[in-house]
Amino acid sequence: ASVYQYFDGGVVQFCLPMIVGLLLAGVVPALFAYLIGLPVLRLKSDYLAIATLGFAEIVRSILQWGKLGPVTNGSNMLKSFTRISNFKIGTFSLSTFVPVLIAVVSIGLIVMLVNSTYGRAFKAIRDDEVAAEAMGISLFKHKILSFVISSFFSGVGGALFAMYVANAQAKVFTSTMTYEILLIVVIGGIGSVSGSVIGTFLYVACSEWWLRFLDRETYIGSFKVPLLRSGFRMVVFSVVIMIIVLFFSKGIMGEKELSWKGIGGLLKKRKKAAPAAEKED
């Protein structure tokens, strides 16, 4: 069965195939990123961060503006679109397979980009802008290209997030979410795609699953365990993040990447080490 993505907001009411909807969710932010990047990317360091955050807040405020409600639906939620649970073949659910497949394809495209000539130019600019410019690399061209590409994948991720929570609302996408994404990159390792994947898993697992027991009031007999209450999980999680940042300044992976060759090498070392240990015994 074909899966469609519906948009129900005032004047904007139309139906698209899911893949087309996902691609548009990436193309539209990429277009806005290009328009915003023309003036903003000429700035550097802190000024660039301030300007991009400012533009993000401006766009969010415009989308929530009441007078544009007939077009953007204002601050109301958008609900009538495809949900993750809608992905089925007969009675077999694909609600896990489809998002994972899209994520794997996106990560694969990013890895290919990083290993291309454009990716090497991005790395050179990241390491030393002056040296990169001296080598003939156009800073503005490559900066705006990286800005547009990252906005495309962010838009696709936002569409998947909306399908997961079954609604879309502008007020959810605040600067707090930006800080969460930055934390994921810092935890995993700046300059490592696989590190970002590991950082995402650890961030979500710790904040949503592993530390949940800290939010429950616990009694041992009549004695109430101190500190265990609603919200204490986030305090412990903040301490864990501080420890990672202090002792792993470049993140868990740094600039290294996981590879099948590296994993195979580790497995071979373990196989060689096992017979040697048996001989010693």
Side-chain angles (χ1 to χ4, degrees), residues 189-222:
I190 299 175
S192 172
V193 177
S194 52
S196 296
V197 175
I198 295 170
T200 302
F201 173 78
L202 292 177
Y203 182 87
V204 175
C206 288
S207 60
E208 298 296 333
W209 302 331
W210 295 343
L211 300 179
R212 278 287 181 186
F213 71 95
L214 297 173
D215 284 348
R216 304 189 189 99
E217 293 186 356
T218 305
Y219 289 85
I220 301 176
S222 59

Side-chain angles (χ1 to χ4, degrees), residues 114-177:
V114 169
N115 293 325
S116 68
T117 53
Y118 286 101
R120 288 193 286 272
F122 294 153
K123 289 179 181 179
I125 295 171
R126 179 196 65 193
D127 294 337
D128 193 327
E129 289 189 5
V130 176
E133 191 172 22
M135 293 297 293
I137 297 173
S138 174
L139 297 184
F140 179 74
K141 174 187 172 182
H142 286 86
K143 280 185 177 181
I144 201 165
L145 183 61
S146 65
F147 197 44
V148 168
I149 292 172
S150 61
S151 297
F152 174 84
F153 286 107
S154 297
V156 173
L160 288 174
F161 177 74
M163 288 192 290
Y164 174 72
V165 298
N167 65 73
Q169 197 171 15
K171 69 178 184 180
V172 175
F173 298 93
T174 61
S175 56
T176 303
M177 185 172 289

Side-chain angles (χ1 to χ4, degrees), residues 20-258:
V20 176
L22 283 176
L23 289 175
L24 277 178
V27 170
V28 173
L31 176 61
F32 276 94
Y34 178 77
L35 296 176
I36 293 170
L38 290 176
V40 167
L41 290 177
R42 299 184 187 279
L43 303 174
K44 294 183 179 180
S45 65
D46 297 340
Y47 300 103
L48 174 60
I50 293 169
T52 50
L53 287 173
F55 270 110
E57 289 300 310
I58 290 170
V59 171
R60 187 172 65 85
S61 299
I62 290 173
L63 292 175
Q64 290 184 280
W65 190 25
K67 292 184 178 181
L68 287 178
V71 178
T72 64
N73 214 28
S75 59
N76 299 321
M77 288 185 179
L78 301 176
K79 294 182 179 180
S80 301
F81 51 80
T82 301
R83 302 180 182 183
I84 295 292
S85 57
N86 294 139
F87 295 106
K88 293 180 181 179
I89 297 179
T91 58
F92 184 69
S93 176
L94 297 175
S95 59
T96 302
F97 174 75
V98 172
V100 170
L101 176 63
I102 295 172
V104 169
V105 171
S106 299
I107 293 169
L109 291 174
I110 292 171
V111 170
M112 290 171 64
L113 174 66
V114 169
N115 293 325
S116 68
T117 53
Y118 286 101
R120 288 193 286 272
F122 294 153
K123 289 179 181 179
I125 295 171
R126 179 196 65 193
D127 294 337
D128 193 327
E129 289 189 5
V130 176
E133 191 172 22
M135 293 297 293
I137 297 173
S138 174
L139 297 184
F140 179 74
K141 174 187 172 182
H142 286 86
K143 280 185 177 181
I144 201 165
L145 183 61
S146 65
F147 197 44
V148 168
I149 292 172
S150 61
S151 297
F152 174 84
F153 286 107
S154 297
V156 173
L160 288 174
F161 177 74
M163 288 192 290
Y164 174 72
V165 298
N167 65 73
Q169 197 171 15
K171 69 178 184 180
V172 175
F173 298 93
T174 61
S175 56
T176 303
M177 185 172 289
T178 303
Y179 301 142
E180 290 177 353
I181 295 171
L182 287 174
L183 273 176
I184 288 171
V185 175
V186 170
I187 292 170
I190 299 175
S192 172
V193 177
S194 52
S196 296
V197 175
I198 295 170
T200 302
F201 173 78
L202 292 177
Y203 182 87
V204 175
C206 288
S207 60
E208 298 296 333
W209 302 331
W210 295 343
L211 300 179
R212 278 287 181 186
F213 71 95
L214 297 173
D215 284 348
R216 304 189 189 99
E217 293 186 356
T218 305
Y219 289 85
I220 301 176
S222 59
F223 175 74
K224 180 182 177 181
V225 179
L227 299 178
L228 295 184
R229 63 188 66 183
S230 180
F232 185 63
R233 153 180 71 96
M234 297 309 296
V235 176
V236 175
F237 184 55
S238 301
V239 173
V240 172
I241 291 174
M242 288 175 62
I243 292 172
I244 292 175
V245 172
L246 287 172
F247 293 98
F248 298 91
S249 58
K250 292 186 178 181
I252 296 172
M253 293 294 294
E255 296 182 4
K256 298 178 181 178
E257 298 285 0
L258 289 176

